[in-house]
């Protein structure tokens, strides 16, 4: 009796230990992912033109400076001590106006000096910042406040009003008519650079220091170097953000950059990073920034007339507060979903949203006499050739089809989602999720690219018609 | 005795740590004032002393955290000036505070600082398996090395810091009060590990004021007092008596010279009926008579802490009711803090940093702040009336022999022991009938403890009552009227304080006694044997035979959403899903096991 | 003089050298300005003597009776190691002065030299006497800076110390001061309120809108103040629930408030965001430069601010509520053990913040005469700057409104001074930014990590 009891207890203990530990992955990504797809669906349903080459191109141009600004903020925020770099916006503005003025003075013509200059200035500023934090030992928030005021002022001194021209090579970057622009390359390179960086020991040091600086110090982590490094990275991101910002406006603007501070902080929080340090990543930050863009986009699809910007403000504020309140639910979610895999969740939702995108960009009216509706390239091909045959359909059948198609569609999606959710929650405790995810992601990317390409074609065809 | 005592001891060629005449000042405070000691390879060397004697400062000096003002420090022939340098030398330190990064995984925490600046010393897979291995060996249970540290109980976090120190086979290991967050069994495991390391030639420095522990483990001990070393004891001389004599500077053994107070009446000051401190925990009754001191003990996380908090109204009881008697004999309920204060119950926490002091406020305010509400003038304007408060402050400060400069000084200018006295004074200032102390002696030196006991005894003899939780059984000797031992969220056994045998109390803490004491005259309800709940009948069978394995105890700590499990295949189970203060009102997950050991899960309201 | 601590020889030599340098500079400028020789000689002697006396007296404060190490170092080297940073700072300032003199024309005048000396004296005083103040060092430094700025300003700028200028400085200080009430209280609790500028803007526009609708002005003011308070309550509840995220929560509510107010005021209006209407005369009198308080020639808003300041300073120091606010800011768990309701204070403080922000918005309407949503924008960081420069810790539990008053005055006098010497808003902002850092570094440096373990 007693022996068995002990055995049971030991067995119980093991399960207790497994249960007592929270999830390994970051449940804080749950919110941004959900919000992203919700907004994306609404955006696509409201204004399908988002899913065209020019729509996505424009989105990338607008959102990239914001994403990079958020990265810049993130890099120093991870370092802990409550480093919320309020001066990131003015810094972007500062690099912008000095670059424009130097360009006007005949310097900084070709890309390489421009890039070196921007990232150099950003890094230099952040170096000073970090040295003050480390050696003068003033709270980082105060240093950043100081930097905010000083840079905002000096920006106006350097360039009193918007104007000037960006270096010539940047001229075309800001058009945003195609997806694969240099801006996208910058964004992808920056993201990849960060992801590569996360593989180094330096990143581990950074995260540990941000989470508990004293623990890191006593364990022998070179905290001074790590903090300086974090700020240098932040400065480089700020420089890149400034380049993209310059490309976006094609000129200099002393005050526009300043607004990036508040937006980037909001994006960072929306992305699930901890303002206390130690937690944050490019995935969440990019999602946060994208969410903000999508909010603006969705709202602009409603016509509020003269109060448009006020509604945007209101929505920003409300969504920010709500998403903060949602973080209160994280522990509850954590209790029910122990091993949450953000990647699988992302994949599952993207299937759903891809469906919605298909639904939104798909021209049902032109649906041909194809027997059963099959989602995918085939039906799209049919869709392109279909208009000739529509006439043969009676209005009743057409109405029936129109009604049935979304149903069939959504049921297929539901099945896929169910499968993926099952996978996401059930199997994510395995070390690797396996190549399945990679295949699915690749397939989705291809499908997405295809849809977009077709979408672009469709619009062109329409134009021709 | 001065440092000349150390000069005379022969300096062996194997000396690894040699510290000579080290001085370290913090402003006007002299933390170390010419301290010296030396430790050899292959020995466990204890650094002992009362509060503020500089032993922790010495540990930080040796590990390179604090720079010294003068003197010499030579560790393996070098003088490290940062933790990174000392780590490179082969010095590993486990600090008093549990220093872990909550947002990171166990692996990252264990390998913190082990990597170079950009490259890793081990591949991630190797790290994971090494971490898993090390944690299983130390904590005695398998732990998922990918788990986020923030979700773990404190005991496991402490093990992570120890694992980090042991990772690289240190030449010198410094443990600064490192067993503080560990329970008895874990401490034993730590000691075994320490002995193994010593036999392989590691120098181990332990810094502690837990005399009982260091008597068992250390090979040599250097005693510190007032920032200098006052003597070295060899293994044979390390006894409680010798240590105390050196620590306090006079020949006294702290306690046991006095007798416990015996209540003159059977009048009750406080009663608890059918209370359970945990959700679905066993219920029990408890009575507190006027004029007695009740000691409360138990292994960490067995419900004793929750029990005293329930009595003080800090947290609500899961079941049942607590009532307090007024001077006129009328009973009023205690469900929350305001009711407890109205019923003249005062609560003193031992965790002064977290739930005690107001760091940047004055000593005066720290003591009398709760009285502001009573002693105010101007009605709704609420001006603080300093006159009467000053009198109260003076009275308590004198009673407790608090040493302070001006009462307007910040409380942080006081030593830890004096800060604790201010908090105890805060409790007394409210003129309570019942005072509940939750491990108040944590981090107080022996002298201050003796004063505190004396004061509490007088308090009880005036016809008031004391409940005193302690993590050191020795504290109850000659002090407590009776001692109640907790186990699994309910009283398990009780003892007569006048004939207290620490060994028996320890056995009770591990469930090795019959629990007869509960029904006796020194049980939960003295002289009221008929009204008892038979909590632990002798023939229960299960309880007597089951030894709680150490793994469980580690999980029985403060963790927030611990699921429950059953020791036997019956319906009975011991739930402990509670966070620090709030008990979640949600349904809890129950993991049960059928006869074959398969897991059944369900949820229960 | 016998009470003076004995200075070491190097220190004395150093003092003499610096004094002589200063005197020479003075003589140079004297000749440059073609002042009569007698006056130059007299003032040179006076400068030298005064400086040397001050040097002996003040440097003496550095010596706190510690045993002097007189090992083989040369006296000059000793002086260098002892006063390395102050000396470097002095050198830098002198260098900057020389550079300015050489580059900027008409910088050579006796007033600037005196200003420089005042600046140096202030610096030395803060370095030396400031050590005597353990608790209220920031207040001392603030007052020193204030005094210095004011004297330098009144010497260099015509009309700086005129009644009108002081009145206008006080007027603007009142707006900033009233807006900073909430920020101070919230900071004492360890929070931040970034919604203040948005509530100011909202109240400013909303008040005029209500008056435009035909609501009696007094009622409109009450409505606006009530709504401000209610918004504060919401802020308080949210920030309390989302501990440690106050910065971002209030930013969010701020966005929402300013958007919401503008939507409401724009409905049915052709001018998006701009509200037109007539401000009642009594409200204009409240905050206009030519307003009068019971016949006295200053606007009532200054009196209101003074009253608020007195009530708050006394209240925070001597009432139960004030003391409990500090207790909560220092250690909330300890506070909850002595039955201080955290939520109640949190909500109350944010409600006050909302109230005072709405009040500022209303008063600014009286000043400007037209509604403008962006009227509060500059207060976003200025309130924070005032709190920080004054010396209230953003972590909670240390500081007070008295400190903020000093911070507000320093910022205001500085800004007037900068305007006076011809620098506009952007330069002011730049200099504010650079000023905050050394101010905070003087009194609120975080402890080194070594001491925190």
């Amino acid at each position: 009796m007693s022996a068995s009891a002990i055995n049971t207890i030991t067995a119980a203990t093991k399960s207790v230990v497994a249960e007592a530990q929270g999830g390994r992955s970051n449940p804080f990504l749950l919110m941004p992912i959900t919000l992203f797809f919700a907004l994306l669906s609404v955006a696509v349903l409201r204004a399908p033109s988002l899913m065209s080459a020019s729509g996505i191109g424009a989105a990338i141009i607008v959102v990239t400076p914001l994403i990079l600004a958020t990265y810049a903020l993130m890099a120093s925020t991870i370092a802990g001590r409550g480093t919320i770099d309020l001066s990131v916006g003015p810094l972007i503005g500062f690099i912008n106006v000095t670059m424009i003025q130097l360009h006007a003075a005949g310097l900084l013509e070709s890309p390489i000096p421009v890039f070196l200059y921007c990232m150099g200035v950003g890094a230099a500023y952040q170096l000073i910042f970090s040295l003050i934090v480390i050696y003068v030992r003033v709270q980082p928030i105060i240093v950043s406040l100081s930097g905010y005021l000083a840079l905002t002022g000096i920006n106006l001194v350097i360039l009193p009003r918007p104007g000037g021209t960006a270096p010539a090579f940047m001229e075309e970057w800001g058009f945003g008519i195609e997806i694969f622009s240099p801006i996208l390359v910058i964004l992808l390179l920056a993201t990849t650079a960060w992801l590569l960086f996360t593989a180094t020991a330096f990143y581990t040091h950074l995260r540990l220091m941000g989470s508990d600086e004293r623990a890191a110090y006593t364990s022998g982590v070179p905290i001074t170097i790590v903090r300086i490094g974090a700020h240098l990275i932040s400065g480089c991101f700020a420089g890149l953000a400034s380049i993209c910002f310059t490309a976006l406006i094609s000129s200099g603007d002393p005050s526009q950059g300043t607004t990036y501070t508040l937006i980037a902080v909001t994006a960072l929080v929306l992305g699930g990073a901890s303002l206390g340090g130690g937690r944050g990543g490019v995935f969440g930050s990019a999602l946060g920034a994208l969410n903000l863009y999508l909010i603006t986009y969705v709202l602009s699809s409603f016509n509020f007339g003269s109060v448009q910007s006020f509604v945007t403000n209101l929505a920003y504020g409300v969504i920010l507060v709500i998403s903060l309140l949602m973080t209160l639910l994280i522990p509850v979610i954590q209790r029910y979903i122990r091993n949450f895999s953000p990647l699988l969740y992302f994949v599952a939702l993207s299937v759903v949203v891809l469906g919605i995108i298909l639904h939104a960009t798909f021209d049902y009216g032109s649906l041909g006499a194809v027997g059963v509706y099959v989602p995918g390239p085939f039906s799209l091909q049919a869709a392109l050739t279909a208009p000739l045959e529509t006439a043969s359909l009676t209005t009743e059948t057409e109405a029936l089809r129109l009604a049935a198609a979304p149903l069939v569609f959504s049921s297929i999606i539901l099945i896929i989602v169910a499968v993926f959710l099952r996978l996401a929650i059930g199997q994510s405790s395995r070390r690797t999720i396996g190549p399945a995810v990679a295949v699915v992601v690749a397939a989705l990317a291809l499908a997405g690219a295809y849809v977009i390409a077709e979408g672009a074609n469709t619009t062109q065809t329409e134009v021709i018609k | 005795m001065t440092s000349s005592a150390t000069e005379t001891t022969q300096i062996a060629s194997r000396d690894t740590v040699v510290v000579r005449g080290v001085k370290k000042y913090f402003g006007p405070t002299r933390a170390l004032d010419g301290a010296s000691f030396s430790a050899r390879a292959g020995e466990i060397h204890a650094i002992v002393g009362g509060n503020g004697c500089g032993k922790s400062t010495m540990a930080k000096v040796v590990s390179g955290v604090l720079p010294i003002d003068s003197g010499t420090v030579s560790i393996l022939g070098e003088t490290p000036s940062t933790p990174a340098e000392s780590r490179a030398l082969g010095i590993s330190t486990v600090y008093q505070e549990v220093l872990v990064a909550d947002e990171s995984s166990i692996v990252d925490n264990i390998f913190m600082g082990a990597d170079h600046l950009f490259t890793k010393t081990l591949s991630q897979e190797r790290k994971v398996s090494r971490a898993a291995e090390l944690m299983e060996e130390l904590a005695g249970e398998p732990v998922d090395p990918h788990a986020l540290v923030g979700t773990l109980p404190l005991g496991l976090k402490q093990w992570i810091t120890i694992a980090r120190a042991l990772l690289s086979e240190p030449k010198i290991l410094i443990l600064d009060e490192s067993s503080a967050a560990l329970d008895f069994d874990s401490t034993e495991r730590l000691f075994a590990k320490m002995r193994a390391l010593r036999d392989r030639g590691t120098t181990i420095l332990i810094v502690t004021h837990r005399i009982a522990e260091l008597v068992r483990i250390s090979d040599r001990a250097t005693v510190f007092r007032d920032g200098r070393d006052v003597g070295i004891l060899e293994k044979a001389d390390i006894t409680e008596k010798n240590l105390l004599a050196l620590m306090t500077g006079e020949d006294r053994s702290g306690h046991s010279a006095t007798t416990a107070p015996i209540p003159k009446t059977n009048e009750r000051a406080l009663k608890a009926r059918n209370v359970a401190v945990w959700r679905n925990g066993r219920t029990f009754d408890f009575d507190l008579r006027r004029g007695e001191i009740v000691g409360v003990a138990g292994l960490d996380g067995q419900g004793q802490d929750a029990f005293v908090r329930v009595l003080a109204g800090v947290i609500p009881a899961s079941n049942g009711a607590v009532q307090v008697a007024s001077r006129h004999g009328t009973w009023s309920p205690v469900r929350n803090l305001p009711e407890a204060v109205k019923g003249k119950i005062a609560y003193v926490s031992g965790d002064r940093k977290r739930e005690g002091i107001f760091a940047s406020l004055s000593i005066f305010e720290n003591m009398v702040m709760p009285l502001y509400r009573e002693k105010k003038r101007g009605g709704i304007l609420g001006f603080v009336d300093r006159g009467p408060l000053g009198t109260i402050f003076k009275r308590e400060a004198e009673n407790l022999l608090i040493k302070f400069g001006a009462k307007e000084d910040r409380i942080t200018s006081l030593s830890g022991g004096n800060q604790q006295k201010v908090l105890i004074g805060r409790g007394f200032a409210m003129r309570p009938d019942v005072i509940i102390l939750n491990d108040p002696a944590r981090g107080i030196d022996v002298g201050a403890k003796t004063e505190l006991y004396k004061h509490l005894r007088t308090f009880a003899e005036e016809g008031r009552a004391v409940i005193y939780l302690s993590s050191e059984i020795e504290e109850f000797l000659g002090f407590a009227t009776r001692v109640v031992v907790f186990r699994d969220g309910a009283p398990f056994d009780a003892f007569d304080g006048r004939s207290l045998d620490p060994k028996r109390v320890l056995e009770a803490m591990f469930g090795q006694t019959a629990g007869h004491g509960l029904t006796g005259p020194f049980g939960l309800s003295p002289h009221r044997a008929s009204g008892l709940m038979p909590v632990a009948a002798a023939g229960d069978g299960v309880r007597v035979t089951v030894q709680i394995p150490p793994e469980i105890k580690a999980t029985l700590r403060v963790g927030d959403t611990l699921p429950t499990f059953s020791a036997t295949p019956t319906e009975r189970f011991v739930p402990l899903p509670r966070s620090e203060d709030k008990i979640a009102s949600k349904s809890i997950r129950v993991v049960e096991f059928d006869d074959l050991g398969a897991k059944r899960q369900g949820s229960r309201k | 003089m016998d009470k003076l601590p004995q200075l070491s020889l190097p220190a004395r030599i150093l003092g003499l050298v610096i004094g002589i340098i200063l005197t020479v500079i003075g003589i140079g400028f004297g000749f440059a300005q073609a002042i009569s020789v007698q006056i130059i000689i007299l003032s040179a002697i006076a400068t030298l003597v005064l400086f040397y006396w001050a040097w002996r007296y003040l440097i003496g404060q550095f010596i706190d009776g510690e045993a002097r190490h007189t090992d083989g170092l040369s006296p000059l080297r000793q002086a260098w190691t002892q006063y390395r940073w102050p000396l470097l700072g002095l050198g830098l300032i002198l260098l900057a002065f020389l550079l300015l003199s050489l580059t900027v024309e008409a910088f050579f005048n006796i007033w600037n030299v005196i200003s420089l000396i005042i600046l140096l004296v202030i610096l030395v005083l803060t370095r030396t006497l400031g050590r005597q103040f353990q608790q209220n060092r920031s207040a001392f430094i603030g007052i020193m800076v204030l005094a210095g700025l004011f004297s330098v300003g009144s010497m260099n700028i015509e009309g700086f110390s005129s009644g009108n200028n002081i009145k206008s400085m006080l007027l603007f200080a009142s707006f900033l001061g009233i807006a900073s009430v909430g920020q101070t209280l919230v900071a004492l609790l360890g929070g931040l309120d970034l919604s203040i500028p948005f509530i100011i803007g909202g109240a400013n526009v909303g008040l005029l809108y209500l008056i435009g609708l035909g609501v009696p002005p007094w009622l409109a003011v009450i409505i606006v103040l009530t709504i401000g308070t209610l918004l504060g309550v919401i802020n308080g509840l949210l920030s309390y629930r989302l501990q440690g995220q106050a910065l971002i929560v209030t930013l969010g509510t701020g966005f929402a408030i300013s958007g919401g107010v503008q939507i409401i005021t724009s409905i049915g209006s052709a001018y998006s965001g701009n509200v037109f209407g007539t401000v009642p005369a009594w409200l204009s009198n409240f905050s206009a430069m030519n307003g009068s308080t019971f016949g006295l020639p200053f606007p009532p808003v200054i009196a209101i601010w003074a009253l608020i300041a007195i009530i708050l300073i006394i209240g925070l120091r001597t009432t139960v509520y004030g003391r409990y606010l500090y207790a909560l800011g220092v250690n909330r768990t300890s506070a909850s053990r002595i039955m201080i309701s955290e939520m109640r204070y949190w909500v109350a403080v944010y409600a006050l913040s909302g109230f005072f922000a709405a009040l500022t918005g209303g008063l600014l309407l009286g000043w400007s005469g037209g509604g403008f949503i962006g009227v509060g924008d500059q207060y976003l960081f200025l309130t924070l700057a005032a709190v920080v420069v004054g010396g209230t810790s953003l972590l909670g539990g240390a500081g007070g409104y008295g400190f903020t008053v000093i911070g507000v005055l320093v910022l205001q006098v500085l800004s007037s001074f900068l305007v006076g010497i011809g620098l506009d808003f952007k330069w002011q902002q730049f200099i504010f930014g650079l000023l905050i850092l050394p101010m905070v570094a003087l009194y609120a440096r975080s402890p080194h990590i070594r001491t925190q373990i």
Side-chain angles (χ1 to χ4, degrees), chain C residues 275-345:
Chain C
V275 181
F276 299 99
T278 340
V279 180
W282 58 269
L283 190 57
S284 297
N285 177 51
F286 248 67
S287 30
M289 265 299 285
N290 51 3
S292 66
T293 318
F294 305 116
L296 297 172
F298 61 90
V301 64
I302 296 174
I304 294 176
W305 181 42
L307 192 69
I308 292 172
I310 290 167
I311 291 175
L312 272 175
I313 291 168
I314 294 177
L316 283 175
R317 270 171 182 271
T318 60
T319 65
V320 178
Y321 315 112
R323 298 325 297 168
Y324 280 4
L325 189 64
Y326 280 92
L328 264 175
V330 179
N331 188 336
R332 56 168 66 134
T333 321
S334 302
S336 81
R337 292 288 177 272
I338 61 171
M339 294 188 304
I340 302 174
S341 162
E342 190 179 356
M343 195 176 92
R344 208 176 292 165
Y345 276 86

Side-chain angles (χ1 to χ4, degrees), chain A residues 136-137 145-146 214 265 310 317, chain C residues 248 252 262 381 433 445-446 452:
Chain A
V136 186
R137 298 201 302 272
L145 174 64
S146 182
R214 296 180 307 152
V265 174
F310 313 145
Chain C
I248 204 83
Q262 288 184 90
F381 288 115
R445 294 175 66 186
S446 329
Q452 290 177 306

Side-chain angles (χ1 to χ4, degrees), chain A residues 55-386:
Chain A
I56 292 186
I60 287 172
I61 299 297
V62 176
V63 89
T64 300
L66 179 52
I67 292 180
L68 289 172
T70 316
Y71 286 180
L73 199 56
M74 170 194 73
S76 53
T77 302
I78 293 181
R81 288 208 201 166
T83 314
I84 306 166
D85 185 6
L86 299 175
S87 60
V88 70
L91 177 62
I92 291 171
F94 178 74
I95 301 174
N96 169 258
V97 293
T98 49
M99 190 219 298
I100 295 296
Q101 289 294 45
L102 285 173
H103 176 65
L107 302 162
L108 295 180
E109 292 289 345
S110 54
I112 293 175
V114 168
F115 272 78
L116 283 180
Y117 171 77
C118 291
M119 291 168 73
V121 171
Y125 171 79
Q126 289 289 348
L127 178 68
I128 297 170
F129 190 136
S130 62
L131 291 178
I132 291 173
V133 169
I134 293 166
Y135 293 107
V136 186
R137 298 201 302 272
V138 176
Q139 280 168 288
I141 185 93
I142 290 174
V143 182
S144 77
L145 174 64
S146 182
Y148 180 96
L149 291 173
L151 286 177
T152 313
I154 205 76
N155 285 351
L156 284 164
V157 172
I158 295 171
L159 191 70
R161 59 191 59 81
T165 49
F169 71 93
M170 258 183 220
E171 295 274 292
E172 295 176 359
W173 291 11
F175 290 169
I177 42 167
E178 51 192 12
I179 297 170
F180 295 100
S181 58
I183 298 291
L184 179 68
V185 176
I186 293 176
L187 176 63
L188 289 179
L189 281 180
T191 312
T192 319
W194 177 266
L195 290 176
L196 286 177
F197 169 66
T198 57
T200 62
F202 193 88
Y203 174 70
T204 317
H205 293 320
L206 176 59
R207 239 161 16 102
L208 290 167
M209 181 186 78
S211 185
D212 193 317
E213 189 165 354
R214 296 180 307 152
Y217 177 69
T218 53
S219 312
V221 173
I223 52 169
T224 313
I225 299 173
V226 173
R227 186 171 293 280
I228 292 175
H231 279 276
L232 288 180
I233 293 169
S234 166
C236 290
F237 277 135
L240 288 178
S242 177
I243 290 173
C244 296
F245 171 67
T246 313
L248 174 67
I249 60 171
S250 288
S251 62
D253 191 329
S255 51
Q256 193 69 33
T258 309
T259 56
Y260 276 104
T261 292
L262 300 184
I263 306 179
V265 174
T266 313
L268 189 68
V269 173
L270 275 181
S274 155
L275 294 184
R279 190 182 71 230
V282 284
F283 193 57
S285 303
L287 277 179
L290 276 172
N291 285 345
L292 282 180
Y293 172 75
L294 285 172
I295 291 170
T296 327
Y297 186 83
V298 167
L299 288 172
S300 68
S301 71
F302 297 90
N303 193 10
F304 287 112
S306 58
V307 292
Q308 186 68 52
S309 63
F310 313 145
V311 175
T312 315
N313 266 3
L314 181 71
Y316 266 24
V318 171
I319 287 182
L320 178 57
V321 171
I322 290 176
S323 74
L324 281 172
L325 283 174
M326 294 298 258
T327 56
L328 290 177
L329 292 177
I330 295 283
V332 182
I333 297 167
Q334 219 166 6
R335 202 172 303 157
Y336 289 103
I337 309 169
R338 288 250 165 228
N339 284 308
F340 167 74
S341 160
L343 185 57
L344 273 174
Y345 186 66
F346 187 84
V347 170
L349 280 186
S350 51
V351 170
V352 180
V353 173
L354 198 69
I356 296 171
I357 293 172
L358 280 170
H359 169 77
T361 51
F362 190 73
D363 189 4
Y364 285 108
S366 64
L367 189 63
V370 194
V372 183
Y373 176 74
V374 184
F378 173 67
S379 54
L380 280 164
Q381 288 283 1
L384 287 175
T385 50

Side-chain angles (χ1 to χ4, degrees), chain A residues 9 17 24 205 207 214 219, chain B residues 87 97 108 141 144 552:
Chain A
I9 284 177
V17 170
R24 311 156 160 191
H205 293 320
R207 239 161 16 102
R214 296 180 307 152
S219 312
Chain B
R87 188 180 175 119
E97 233 174 298
D108 285 348
E141 62 188 311
D144 176 7
I552 287 185

Side-chain angles (χ1 to χ4, degrees), chain B residues 298-345:
Chain B
L299 295 173
D300 280 340
Q302 296 287 334
Q304 72 277 23
D305 182 67
F307 173 64
V308 296
R309 281 163 187 267
V310 164
L311 290 187
V314 175
I315 57 170
S318 271
N319 189 33
V322 179
Q323 286 186 307
V324 64
S326 72
R327 283 288 157 117
H328 316 292
T330 51
W331 291 91
S332 55
V334 178
R335 285 167 301 206
N336 48 38
L337 215 47
E339 284 182 349
V341 172
K342 229 173 98 204
K344 292 197 162 293
I345 299 174

